[in-house]
Amino acid sequence: MEKVLNFGIIGFGFMGQTHAETIKKLAYAQLKAVCDTNEAQFSFAPDGVDTYTSADELLADPTIDTVIIAVPNQLHLEIVTKAAEAQKDIICEKPLAMNAAEVEQMLAVVEKEQVRFTVHHQRRWDHDYRVAKEVYAQNLVGETYTVKSALYGFNGNMHDWHVYPEFGGGMLYDWGVHLIDQILWMMPSKLVSLYANVRNVINEQVDDYFNIQLYFENGVNAQVELGTYFLNSSENWFERHWFIGGDQGSAKIDGFNPKGEITRTSALLSNVPGQITMTHAGPTRSFGPAPEGRIFTEELPEVSVNHQMFFDNYYDYVQGKAELVVQPEQIFGLMKVLDAIRISAKYHQSINLEIDYSSK
């Protein structure tokens, strides 16, 4: 009989409760206990699970083999350390830590205690992202030279823990870790430099806008942009947007439930005599309207993914049937990138570094 995963959740706020709902759907798992310092959160716990107000008490529960850590970000190092020393396997929420130095300490303790360890980067299974990843991996626009990943919102103000810089507040540590992780996992190439603009537009203490340029050894430039107060009246503006440019076409992918197309041209402009094309900006050939039939489109590749696949992969890993998709060493690299982004934005400088997700 295959092993059943017995989960405990430390931190039973929004994400802890989300994990509890997910575990209900997993045939190979059961939730044994939840922990929170606020007992009012226990009203949201499923019937029959044990409740603890102390992480130490939950970690002493012998029925639990894997803990999900969903406490505030600044407590991740402390609870990961306690869980490893209690011989529990660990899934930690993102951002994994406040900086790369803390991740290095985590890696040392889980190695010492020989426990399994991964990070809940479930957005590697986002539908829009996997379509973009397929476009890149299959060279559907030829040799890619640029990738843009963007996410825009209209509410502007932060909420909950996001308003406190000491808790890792702001968008860089919220959505930013996901968007950057997606790009790094997409590229089978070393990240060699970056330049970042991180702004507090309408929030005084934490960032609500960033534009990050990532430069890879294979020549690809990736741009990641997010704004919580980045307004536009265009339809579906406030969703995900991808643009991938290659030497044989371009791809646009819009929305979390993605729509879009691959666009190509039937012929390149040739330097031959012809009638001048007049536009509002004056005569131009490269940027005037395309002749009829010159531009054509193709459908995007189809993918089938969902966030439960993060847990499916973790279960297969525990069973010895698969490697982890989200390797903690990769997230160590991601945190080095985030540290570099802070420095780049502070000093308005390009930062050189070497981050390679393909090497463990």
Side-chain angles (χ1 to χ4, degrees):
M1 181 177 177
E2 293 190 332
K3 176 180 176 64
V4 173
L5 296 178
N6 294 315
F7 281 104
I9 300 174
I10 301 177
F12 203 59
F14 173 77
M15 280 309 304
Q17 293 166 30
T18 300
H19 285 304
E21 290 299 312
T22 299
I23 292 169
K24 284 182 183 179
K25 304 172 186 176
L26 305 179
Y28 50 79
Q30 55 186 346
L31 180 61
K32 302 295 290 187
V34 300
C35 170
D36 202 282
T37 56
N38 180 5
E39 295 186 38
Q41 300 287 32
F42 297 152
S43 63
F44 302 105
D47 293 338
V49 305
D50 294 328
T51 57
Y52 299 100
T53 57
S54 162
D56 292 335
E57 292 177 345
L58 183 143
L59 292 171
D61 188 333
T63 67
I64 296 169
D65 44 54
T66 297
V67 293
I68 298 175
I69 297 173
V71 298
N73 304 322
Q74 77 279 10
L75 300 177
H76 284 183
L77 174 59
E78 175 189 348
I79 304 302
V80 165
T81 301
K82 286 186 173 184
E85 292 174 345
Q87 293 297 297
K88 305 298 185 185
D89 294 333
I90 302 163
I91 298 173
C92 188
E93 259 305 321
K94 65 82 200 169
L96 177 56
M98 301 297 287
N99 51 57
E102 289 190 352
V103 179
E104 191 168 26
Q105 294 179 63
M106 293 178 184
L107 293 177
V109 72
V110 298
E111 174 66 23
K112 176 185 176 183
E113 301 298 337
Q114 290 294 290
V115 296
R116 300 179 181 93
F117 181 43
T118 189
V119 190
H120 187 232
H121 273 274
Q122 83 285 7
R123 294 201 175 277
R124 291 192 185 185
W125 287 266
D126 277 0
H127 192 181
D128 62 280
Y129 168 62
R130 283 302 184 100
V131 171
K133 191 172 187 295
E134 284 300 302
V135 169
Y136 181 88
Q138 296 183 35
N139 297 316
L140 296 183
V141 294
E143 184 175 346
T144 297
Y145 62 90
T146 189
V147 176
K148 180 175 180 179
S149 166
L151 177 62
Y152 304 125
F154 58 89
N155 286 315
N157 285 317
M158 299 294 102
H159 58 277
D160 298 333
W161 63 268
H162 300 91
V163 304
Y164 302 105
E166 64 270 25
F167 294 170
M171 284 293 103
L172 184 61
Y173 271 26
D174 184 24
W175 272 92
V177 294
H178 283 308
L179 304 186
I180 297 165
D181 175 68
Q182 288 179 342
I183 293 291
L184 294 175
W185 197 52
M186 178 189 291
M187 296 290 166
S189 182
K190 186 184 299 180
L191 176 67
V192 294
S193 68
L194 63 81
Y195 183 87
N197 178 16
V198 181
R199 303 290 297 272
N200 301 14
V201 178
I202 63 173
N203 293 270
E204 293 184 5
Q205 297 298 318
V206 294
D207 61 274
D208 49 21
Y209 173 84
F210 55 76
N211 187 305
I212 300 161
Q213 301 287 335
L214 304 169
Y215 301 94
F216 291 86
E217 193 172 52
N218 64 359
V220 175
N221 161 232
Q223 178 184 176
V224 181
E225 184 174 59
L226 177 145
T228 67
Y229 193 67
F230 202 85
L231 308 182
N232 192 302
S233 62
S234 300
E235 185 178 1
N236 298 323
W237 175 258
F238 301 115
E239 281 216 32
R240 289 287 280 123
H241 302 282
W242 291 88
F243 177 84
I244 303 175
D247 62 2
Q248 296 177 25
S250 303
K252 69 172 184 177
I253 304 157
D254 292 327
F256 290 105
N257 184 20
K259 300 182 184 302
E261 60 197 14
I262 294 171
T263 306
R264 306 190 193 281
T265 180
S266 60
L268 298 177
L269 178 67
S270 58
N271 189 23
V272 296
Q275 184 178 1
I276 294 175
T277 300
M278 294 300 295
T279 72
H280 187 72
T284 178
R285 299 189 69 184
S286 296
F287 299 99
E292 185 176 354
R294 181 71 61 86
I295 302 297
F296 64 98
T297 62
E298 299 174 4
E299 292 185 355
L300 295 167
E302 293 186 6
V303 299
S304 179
V305 290
N306 59 68
H307 288 176
Q308 181 182 310
M309 290 179 175
F310 170 89
F311 285 95
D312 294 343
N313 170 252
Y314 177 75
Y315 180 63
D316 288 342
Y317 166 64
V318 171
Q319 292 286 97
K321 297 179 179 179
E323 289 192 2
L324 278 174
V325 169
V326 183
Q327 297 277 348
E329 294 82 4
Q330 293 172 340
I331 308 308
F332 184 29
L334 173 63
M335 294 306 301
K336 291 179 181 178
V337 172
L338 292 171
D339 288 351
I341 286 169
R342 296 288 193 196
I343 295 170
S344 176
K346 182 177 180 179
Y347 295 105
H348 308 291
Q349 294 178 350
S350 177
I351 305 296
N352 295 328
L353 68 173
E354 293 188 3
I355 302 296
D356 190 350
Y357 262 36
S358 63
S359 63
K360 297 179 182 178

